[in-house]
Amino acid sequence: MTVDCKDLQRFLDGQMQAREQGRFRQHLGGCAVCEARFRESMQLELLAQLALAPEVTSSDAPVPPAPAERRERRTWLRGLRGLEVLVAGVAVWMLLPFSLPWGGEESAWLSAEGPRVLEGRVTYRAVDARHRPYVPDRGEDAAPPPVPSLPLQDLWRMETRGDLHGVATAYLLHGAPRQAQAFLKRMPASADRDSDLALLALEQARQEGSLDTRPARLEEALELLAGVLREWPRHPQALWNRALALSELGLPLQAVDAFGEVARLGEPGWSEEAAHRERVLRESTSTRARAWKDAYEAVRELVTDSSAPLPLAAAREHPGIVRLGFYDAVRAAPSREEVLRLEPLARVLDERYGGSVLRTWLARVAERDFVHRGPLSRLYGRLLLGSLAPVGEVMETLRRSGEEDLYLGALVLADSYREPVDSQAVIRLARASGDPWMRVLADQEQAKLWQREGQWWKAEQRLLEALDTCQKQGLVFRCLGLQRRLADLYLDQHRPAEAFQHAWRGWSRALEAREWRFEQEFLQELADVARYQHAFTTARAYLEESLSRMPEDCAQRTHVHRNVALLEWQRFRPEAARAALERAMECSRPLGLTGAWVLSEMARSVPGPHDGALLRRALADLRRGTVSPGLEALLLVIEGQFLLERPGSSGRELVHRGLELADQEPDSVDARKARAFGYSALLSEAGRAGAWAEALALMSHELRVEPVAPSCLLAVSVQHERTLVLVRGPQGELKGAYSTGRQVPLRDEATGLVPAELVKELSGCEHVDVLTRPPVHGLAGLLPDSLAWSYRVGRGARGVPARTGPSTHLVVTEVSSPPSLRLPRLAPLTPPRVPDPWRVELRGAEATPSRVLSEMAQASEVEIHTHGLFSASQSDASMVVLAPEADGGYALTVDKVRQARLSHAPLVLLATCGAARTAPFPHESFSLPMAFIEAGASAVLAASVEIPDSAGAFFERVRERIRAGERPSVALRDLRASWLLEHPDDVRWLSRVLLFE
């Protein structure tokens, strides 16, 4: 007898279709091997059911087939019965385990002999109870330990018994992260579950290995582990995985502490491995630190001891810090003989960098008249050692001496002391030296000068050009200084994504070059970037690592603890913030801008008896030297906010003075922060007094929305723990609510922020204008979907005419995104249901950022159907993925849109994932919708979360209704309601589609 395999396969495929959509769906996604095995096993099960099924004898049996069909069917069934014995055995093997009692031996296959597969630790006891060594991959040619195949039958039995943890662990061990995450998410919340989720995030960070995703993955892992360890400080797997995450982040001393805690738990095998890892990390880090410090001390000794040995070996290993010290040693040498003694060191450094610039300079110095120069060199040596300050008569003596290298060195020292410096003299002397090393110094000083003058764009361009030249010349130490200056500049401009690029690259290059001091500085830069991006756990890890490296340095302790204080305040932990600030004050140093701001904020909830004096000292220190108008505005607001908590003070007057000054500097980031923080303080004060009309006037003035709607209006302001909500219902009556009870930061939603009784006031409104400020602006859930509402934006492109009718309907679709992103191809748009004579499409490789921006300039309707991405390393808000330009650029970012001019006030539909996601900036709303409004759009529709392919049709129908004359907010509300009746599963993303007008 024979079996028609094609018929059998068709039959099985049909029967399996429903099965594959059932309870095994989560076992399949993204795992081709799993799917193949699943289909094979399911076929066997179906065959078993067919073989054992009784004949149909019911009176409801179907009409018998025709004779020819019966003969064909009998032939097929006889062939099938020929497999009965085998199939029945398979069926018994498959089905019997489902009725057996569950036992630990069922999961024995998860803990097979040999090295463990993951470096991290899972919490599933059958796997973690017995320690097995981890054997890392030694390179491309090394064969990794074999990963056993994944027995799906065992997984099905485990799921049937409710062992979701075992199923998740199996997928995690077998490299199927999507399936592992799906089953972990189905488990009840627990410390073990969160520890495994953290391990999953860590593994994904390692596999993806991209700057676009790694920081976010590692922050997710550290945040989960921090939550576990707050509740269970001795949780062994969480401690272990935290150590690995910290190592992955490049923070060995923090990892040492975590491994040390595991070692002290005394677990067989695990504690020994943890102790070994702790020892290796500590020794390697201390060896690197000691080598750098020895090189630094050796070159410093050349200034104090004329018989000190020349650090020739150190010059080969640490050429940057030795060259820096070499310049000072030559300047401080009081005689020709002592200058020439340094010639071997000059030769080694020239060999390391190439050329002969140091030997040439050394010979030139040796020819000077040391009767004149000798006393000046000794004076310079005292400046170096700190026994003299680089101010007043000392600086004037060196300036008039004619020894230009000594004066240049003294100017650099004065700058490090934060003394006023003649920048033009630094630039002139550094350029005149003919030394590439000094030319970098000139470029840095010129950039600093432009930045003080408010011309930050010139500073940025000069630093970027200097960095390019520096890298070509191989001056690694100087390049690191340029990257740090660029990171500082971008942080000053509140552009953390760009700051991150230079801070991370600088950190990586400093590690390669073994430049310990620069490693320290870049750690602090990365901490600032992480704090700006609200990655608070990562920010604290960076800060604590930097403190662990230099615990004896008082300036370091002050810097770290004042920043920790700010982090704890931002996380709504006021007592912890106060404790950190107290530690920052132990060194009796000024607290800087960060400390001043924390003092000003804490005056509301955890004031200290000496805070007033501390704040005055910090502000006086910040006002030393040249202070820009923007910074002065910010300092006035900080002081005014502090004094507002003291009855009868001049706090309100100071805040208003700061606001007046800030209004004169619209391009200054400090001024924009002063404006935002000043209005926050005044609005909260008005709310505390119940002065609703005053508060509404303040907000409309700040947002430049005047006049405000006389009815159907919502206004919301949040200042840390303080929330102010104002409403005008259909009758125009103004009501408000003020509270001080917020205990957690706002995240991605504002649901529940508006009290229910105030929402009711808006129930009769056809449309609600919503005025909000950061951090509320752009959040979903502010009002229920039953209301038609939109964010009202008061800033738009100047001189843009009102839209009078469609002229061009630009549609961007089927974009050829860069292959390197490995994004799935989106389904093509459904053709328009009605003729659209204005429709112009950009497709495929034509849809580059420059082409899209050019076409948008004249469009009256814009639809963009493509992928949206958020990358903390590329943009501070979401960006649109388009086709790559010739130079590889593919992203349509906020900055690019802001620079556009949309001359026909278009309606813009952003049918891309997360397009409405806003950056967590406290002083401005930074998002794609805001950028389009500023460029001239009349209205923007976008979602704050991921959206499915079907969303394109939804956006298209909203556009049709708006073109037909419906108000955008009404069109959105009504179509959302009708769409949900047909697509109830779309509720999550539909409620997060937002309108900006």
Side-chain angles (χ1 to χ4, degrees):
M1 304 297 179
T2 60
V3 178
D4 187 332
C5 292
K6 291 182 179 179
D7 287 344
L8 176 60
Q9 187 65 52
R10 279 196 297 270
F11 171 78
L12 292 173
D13 285 344
Q15 292 295 313
M16 286 171 60
Q17 187 173 4
R19 301 284 187 97
E20 291 182 359
Q21 297 172 357
R23 66 186 177 90
F24 301 126
R25 179 184 299 168
Q26 293 183 76
H27 295 289
L28 301 180
C31 180
V33 175
C34 299
E35 184 173 355
R37 292 192 178 190
F38 168 72
R39 292 180 63 85
E40 179 182 354
S41 299
M42 286 301 301
Q43 288 175 354
L44 289 174
E45 182 181 346
L46 286 165
L47 285 169
Q49 292 174 4
L50 285 171
L52 299 176
E55 293 184 11
V56 177
T57 57
S58 166
S59 59
D60 294 329
V63 177
E69 294 177 20
R70 285 201 300 271
R71 283 195 300 273
E72 183 179 348
R73 183 175 175 183
R74 280 198 300 270
T75 301
W76 186 86
L77 287 173
R78 278 198 298 271
L80 183 59
R81 289 191 185 104
L83 300 173
E84 283 182 3
V85 175
L86 175 62
V87 168
V90 170
V92 170
W93 174 79
M94 288 177 57
L95 301 175
L96 183 59
F98 287 96
S99 62
L100 292 176
W102 175 254
E105 66 277 2
E106 299 269 0
S107 60
W109 59 275
L110 276 174
S111 54
E113 294 298 324
R116 70 180 189 269
V117 176
L118 293 180
E119 188 177 9
R121 290 181 64 174
V122 297
T123 59
Y124 194 64
R125 181 153 183 80
V127 175
D128 189 70
R130 182 171 61 88
H131 174 267
R132 291 182 294 156
Y134 173 72
V135 180
D137 186 357
R138 299 297 181 184
E140 294 182 2
D141 298 331
V147 178
S149 59
L150 190 62
L152 290 178
Q153 292 295 334
D154 289 328
L155 293 181
W156 299 340
R157 289 195 294 272
M158 293 167 79
E159 185 187 1
T160 299
R161 295 294 180 182
D163 186 16
L164 302 178
H165 196 184
V167 176
T169 302
Y171 279 123
L172 185 54
L173 294 176
H174 286 75
R178 289 174 56 192
Q179 291 86 350
Q181 185 177 50
F183 281 93
L184 285 171
K185 292 288 190 181
R186 288 173 56 188
M187 291 171 57
S190 68
D192 284 355
R193 186 197 74 158
D194 286 352
S195 179
D196 284 351
L197 282 170
L199 175 58
L200 177 62
L202 173 60
E203 289 301 311
Q204 289 173 318
R206 287 173 162 180
Q207 292 170 12
E208 292 165 357
S210 166
L211 276 186
D212 293 350
T213 54
R214 283 187 80 249
R217 295 289 192 196
L218 292 172
E219 166 70 14
E220 178 187 355
L222 287 171
E223 184 68 29
L224 285 165
L225 294 168
V228 172
L229 294 170
R230 274 195 297 271
E231 299 295 325
W232 302 94
R234 291 166 56 84
H235 192 287
Q237 294 87 358
L239 286 169
W240 183 281
N241 295 335
R242 183 172 185 271
L244 293 182
L246 291 166
S247 295
E248 195 72 21
L249 206 56
L251 309 178
L253 294 179
Q254 292 291 289
V256 161
D257 291 342
F259 276 128
E261 293 184 61
V262 178
R264 289 187 288 275
L265 294 178
E267 299 174 286
W270 291 111
S271 287
E272 287 80 3
E273 183 179 341
H276 173 72
R277 287 172 176 264
E278 175 191 15
R279 184 173 58 256
V280 169
L281 276 174
R282 190 186 301 278
E283 289 176 356
S284 63
T285 306
S286 62
T287 298
R288 289 175 52 254
R290 189 166 52 251
W292 185 90
K293 291 176 182 178
D294 287 348
Y296 176 75
E297 290 301 328
V299 80
R300 292 279 291 179
E301 285 179 9
L302 296 177
V303 176
T304 59
D305 184 358
S306 61
S307 62
L310 300 179
L312 303 181
R316 296 184 179 94
E317 292 298 316
H318 297 88
I321 192 63
V322 172
R323 181 166 180 171
L324 190 67
F326 169 80
Y327 287 107
D328 282 334
V330 173
R331 291 170 185 145
S335 68
R336 182 173 187 273
E337 291 73 25
E338 291 192 42
V339 170
L340 292 176
R341 189 179 83 88
L342 300 173
E343 195 276 338
L345 184 56
R347 187 186 314 114
V348 170
L349 289 170
D350 275 339
E351 290 172 357
R352 180 66 176 77
Y353 284 100
S356 59
V357 65
L358 295 181
R359 280 172 290 169
T360 301
W361 176 61
L362 189 79
R364 193 161 61 242
V365 171
E367 296 300 318
R368 302 294 295 174
D369 177 8
F370 277 88
V371 174
H372 171 68
R373 182 181 171 96
L376 296 170
S377 293
R378 291 188 180 92
L379 184 66
Y380 184 81
R382 294 177 65 190
L383 289 176
L384 278 176
L385 299 176
S387 60
L388 279 179
V391 295
E393 184 69 25
V394 174
M395 294 299 290
E396 185 61 19
T397 298
L398 291 174
R399 186 183 71 82
R400 287 195 254 174
S401 68
E403 301 295 335
E404 293 189 338
D405 61 323
L406 297 183
Y407 183 46
L408 176 59
L411 287 169
V412 174
L413 286 172
D415 187 60
S416 67
Y417 277 82
R418 294 185 59 203
E419 295 293 340
V421 169
D422 183 350
S423 295
Q424 294 296 347
V426 174
I427 295 167
R428 175 180 57 80
L429 294 172
R431 287 178 178 163
S433 70
D435 185 342
W437 183 282
M438 294 299 170
R439 280 200 293 270
V440 174
L441 174 63
D443 289 330
Q444 286 181 302
E445 193 64 30
Q446 181 64 72
K448 190 188 303 181
L449 183 60
W450 277 332
Q451 195 170 355
R452 281 201 301 266
E453 294 171 350
Q455 302 182 76
W456 60 263
W457 57 92
K458 286 186 178 181
E460 176 186 23
Q461 189 61 35
R462 174 57 58 87
L463 290 171
L464 289 171
E465 291 170 355
L467 178 60
D468 182 59
T469 302
C470 177
Q471 290 171 340
K472 291 174 181 175
Q473 294 173 335
L475 302 175
V476 175
F477 187 90
R478 280 308 202 192
C479 296
L480 292 172
L482 288 167
Q483 290 200 292
R484 181 167 184 257
R485 286 290 305 126
L486 278 163
D488 278 339
L489 183 144
Y490 289 129
L491 285 172
D492 286 345
Q493 293 299 310
H494 213 99
R495 294 157 64 183
E498 290 157 295
F500 172 78
Q501 293 179 26
H502 290 284
W504 186 267
R505 289 170 189 160
W507 157 250
S508 303
R509 295 186 71 181
L511 287 170
E512 293 173 5
R514 290 168 296 208
E515 287 294 348
W516 184 259
R517 172 65 74 169
F518 271 118
E519 291 178 31
Q520 176 79 0
E521 293 174 354
F522 280 116
L523 278 173
Q524 295 173 1
E525 298 284 350
L526 288 168
D528 284 339
V529 171
R531 177 171 58 81
Y532 277 27
Q533 295 175 335
H534 285 198
F536 297 134
T537 304
T538 302
R540 178 149 192 172
Y542 282 130
L543 288 169
E544 291 177 344
E545 179 76 13
S546 72
L547 184 59
S548 298
R549 287 163 166 256
M550 294 183 172
E552 74 290 344
D553 189 316
C554 214
Q556 290 294 317
R557 293 207 301 274
T558 301
H559 174 88
V560 167
H561 289 308
R562 74 191 182 202
N563 278 278
V564 169
L566 178 55
L567 286 173
E568 296 295 355
W569 177 259
Q570 289 177 309
R571 299 175 82 169
F572 284 74
R573 299 174 185 172
E575 298 298 337
R578 167 55 68 181
L581 201 63
E582 294 294 335
R583 296 192 65 185
M585 293 185 291
E586 290 173 358
C587 285
S588 300
R589 290 176 178 253
L591 292 173
L593 186 60
T594 299
W597 175 248
V598 175
L599 280 171
S600 180
E601 287 280 289
M602 290 196 307
R604 298 196 298 269
S605 57
V606 282
H610 306 296
D611 285 359
L614 290 168
L615 181 62
R616 285 192 295 274
R617 182 185 176 194
L619 294 174
D621 183 69
L622 290 165
R623 287 184 169 115
R624 288 175 60 193
T626 305
V627 178
S628 68
L631 178 58
E632 178 60 26
L634 183 56
L635 298 182
L636 287 169
V637 167
I638 288 173
E639 185 177 7
Q641 178 180 257
F642 178 85
L643 293 176
L644 280 172
E645 299 306 311
R646 301 190 173 189
S649 71
S650 58
R652 182 180 292 270
E653 177 188 345
L654 286 175
V655 172
H656 278 290
R657 280 174 52 196
L659 291 177
E660 290 172 5
L661 190 57
D663 283 339
Q664 299 170 24
E665 301 289 329
D667 295 328
S668 164
V669 173
D670 284 335
R672 294 204 295 273
K673 290 181 179 180
R675 203 169 186 274
F677 300 156
Y679 276 107
S680 287
L682 294 178
L683 282 165
S684 294
E685 286 299 297
R688 181 161 60 178
W692 310 136
E694 178 188 348
L696 184 58
L698 281 168
M699 189 178 296
S700 64
H701 183 68
E702 179 195 7
L703 300 178
R704 300 187 177 96
V705 178
E706 296 175 301
V708 296
S711 62
C712 293
L713 172 76
L714 170 69
V716 182
S717 174
V718 169
Q719 183 196 23
H720 199 62
E721 81 283 5
R722 310 200 285 191
T723 305
L724 170 66
V725 181
L726 305 170
V727 297
R728 274 180 175 165
Q731 306 307 316
E733 182 181 359
L734 182 61
K735 295 185 178 181
Y738 174 75
S739 66
T740 60
R742 174 164 294 281
Q743 297 180 351
V744 293
L746 279 174
R747 296 296 184 184
D748 298 328
E749 286 197 32
T751 303
L753 191 63
V754 181
E757 61 272 18
L758 293 185
V759 173
K760 289 181 181 178
E761 295 291 323
L762 302 169
S763 58
C765 291
E766 180 183 350
H767 164 85
V768 179
D769 262 352
V770 175
L771 306 182
T772 57
R773 322 168 56 253
V776 182
H777 187 87
L779 298 185
L782 196 60
L783 286 174
D785 291 347
S786 57
L787 290 174
W789 64 279
S790 65
Y791 281 110
R792 173 78 184 279
V793 182
R795 292 178 297 169
R798 297 176 182 176
V800 175
R803 178 158 54 94
T804 57
S807 58
T808 300
H809 172 202
L810 176 65
V811 179
V812 180
T813 183
E814 297 184 49
V815 172
S816 298
S817 59
S820 60
L821 296 181
R822 290 180 285 187
L823 296 172
R825 181 175 291 276
L826 298 177
L829 280 178
T830 304
R833 297 182 300 170
V834 295
D836 187 355
W838 302 290
R839 187 180 181 100
V840 175
E841 293 190 353
L842 271 182
R843 296 175 176 269
E846 292 184 345
T848 62
S850 59
R851 182 73 186 279
V852 170
L853 287 168
S854 174
E855 295 291 337
M856 284 196 308
Q858 301 300 320
S860 55
E861 295 172 345
V862 177
E863 287 185 67
I864 300 180
H865 300 265
T866 182
H867 286 285
L869 288 181
F870 174 75
S871 166
S873 68
Q874 292 192 48
S875 177
D876 296 314
S878 293
M879 56 189 180
V880 173
V881 176
L882 296 175
E885 309 271 10
D887 63 359
Y890 62 85
L892 184 64
T893 62
V894 167
D895 289 331
K896 290 179 180 177
V897 174
R898 272 178 159 178
Q899 296 168 12
R901 281 296 169 262
L902 310 180
S903 58
H904 289 279
L907 165 70
V908 178
L909 308 177
L910 299 176
T912 69
C913 289
R917 176 171 177 161
T918 184
F921 294 168
H923 65 288
E924 66 177 333
S925 300
F926 191 86
S927 66
L928 277 171
M930 283 295 296
F932 273 101
I933 294 290
E934 290 180 25
S938 60
V940 181
L941 203 67
S944 60
V945 296
E946 292 187 359
I947 57 178
D949 285 1
S950 59
F954 175 82
F955 279 85
E956 171 74 12
R957 292 190 187 180
V958 172
R959 184 197 59 76
E960 290 176 358
R961 288 180 174 229
I962 295 172
R963 184 186 285 188
E966 284 191 28
R967 184 163 190 160
S969 61
V970 174
L972 173 60
R973 178 198 61 191
D974 293 350
L975 185 61
R976 179 158 43 202
S978 61
W979 188 275
L980 279 173
L981 295 177
E982 301 175 14
H983 310 86
D985 292 340
D986 287 350
V987 61
R988 182 180 179 276
W989 70 265
L990 276 175
S991 63
R992 288 161 179 81
V993 177
L994 303 174
L995 177 63
F996 302 79
E997 293 185 285

